[in-house]
Amino acid sequence: MKTRYIRVSTLNQKIERQLLKQYPDEKIYIDKISGSIPFDQRPSARELLRDIDRNKIQYISVSSIDRLGRNTLDVLQTIEKLHCNEICLKVDNLGLESLVDGKENPTFKLIISVLANISEMERNSLLERQREGIQIAKAKGIYKGRLKNTSESVDEFLAKYPNVISYLNRKNPPTIIEIAKLTDCSKNTVQKVKRYINKM
């Protein structure tokens, strides 16, 4: 079976660009979640991995490598899992496939490793700019900072609540109270997760 994995970071982002080179018979898996969340912790990605374990998938397409993630190690581990299951990964914007005649494509492996590193560097650069903005805000007295006694980043916080994110990303999501009951989280936690993902 041919499949396509699509990821956007927020509910408001459109997916049409990632469908430009779609095959007619592809099954689509869509996650609306930060690329910093590990691949195997995303709702649709987990479904895709389950289908891989059931030997249902032979071919996966993504529009670009950063759709798999923003962490180099996580991206390479995901690609390695696909390789171990003899699944061909195609990256549309590169026009490259991970397997050629059933064998690993060395050019693909080299380029993907470089691009995954660049993607992670771009994210780190963004985080650095955010830190600089916070420092400026602190100097102006308009930044209250994190909660006392915590050094947890936004990404670390969100990584703890993949189920909450999954419910929030649904086309017709349950109410905050319903999600809190379904995930055994407090209403405040669900509201905090929603606030963070809407800012991404």
Side-chain angles (χ1 to χ4, degrees):
M1 178 172 67
K2 287 185 176 180
T3 63
R4 175 170 294 273
Y5 178 72
I6 292 173
R7 183 188 64 77
V8 291
S9 297
T10 68
L11 298 174
N12 297 326
Q13 286 182 294
K14 299 184 182 301
I15 66 171
E16 283 76 8
R17 181 180 62 82
Q18 298 185 50
L19 292 169
L20 291 177
K21 296 187 178 181
Q22 178 186 8
Y23 291 103
D25 56 346
E26 283 180 339
K27 179 178 179 179
I28 307 296
Y29 298 80
I30 303 174
D31 273 319
K32 295 186 177 182
I33 196 169
S34 168
S36 64
I37 304 298
F39 191 80
D40 61 4
Q41 292 183 24
R42 306 174 201 165
S44 290
R46 284 203 302 267
E47 181 186 350
L48 185 150
L49 292 173
R50 284 195 294 268
D51 283 343
I52 287 174
D53 290 337
R54 295 167 184 152
N55 297 316
K56 291 184 176 181
I57 297 174
Q58 293 80 42
Y59 195 96
I60 300 174
S61 297
V62 291
S63 63
S64 58
I65 195 61
D66 61 0
R67 297 306 87 197
L68 292 180
R70 295 282 188 179
N71 177 278
T72 303
L73 180 60
D74 185 54
V75 169
L76 295 179
Q77 286 176 337
T78 300
I79 292 174
E80 181 62 23
K81 179 174 178 61
L82 301 183
H83 178 65
C84 289
N85 284 274
E86 299 182 346
I87 294 168
C88 183
L89 172 67
K90 181 185 178 185
V91 182
D92 290 340
N93 68 337
L94 299 177
L96 286 175
E97 295 182 343
S98 61
L99 300 179
V100 177
D101 296 327
K103 296 181 180 179
E104 187 175 27
N105 181 350
T107 302
F108 177 93
K109 188 173 183 179
L110 174 62
I111 292 176
I112 292 305
S113 180
V114 171
L115 289 178
N117 271 286
I118 291 173
S119 178
E120 184 172 10
M121 288 170 61
E122 288 176 344
R123 176 165 180 78
N124 289 339
S125 177
L126 173 62
L127 293 175
E128 180 60 31
R129 291 196 297 271
Q130 288 176 339
R131 283 192 287 268
E132 290 173 354
I134 289 172
Q135 289 175 352
I136 293 171
K138 283 181 177 179
K140 293 181 178 179
I142 57 176
Y143 179 75
K144 296 181 179 179
R146 290 175 173 151
L147 292 175
K148 197 172 182 179
N149 299 323
T150 180
S151 59
E152 188 175 55
S153 70
V154 172
D155 288 340
E156 289 169 340
F157 173 78
L158 291 177
K160 297 191 300 184
Y161 302 104
N163 291 336
V164 174
I165 294 171
S166 175
Y167 282 114
L168 288 170
N169 283 339
R170 290 186 177 182
K171 187 175 182 180
N172 296 304
T175 65
I176 297 295
I177 293 175
E178 288 171 338
I179 294 175
K181 290 180 179 178
L182 289 166
T183 59
D184 197 27
C185 292
S186 70
K187 186 176 75 171
N188 287 340
T189 295
V190 177
Q191 289 174 328
K192 187 175 180 181
V193 171
K194 183 178 181 180
R195 185 167 66 251
Y196 280 149
I197 63 176
N198 285 340
K199 288 180 179 179
M200 288 180 172

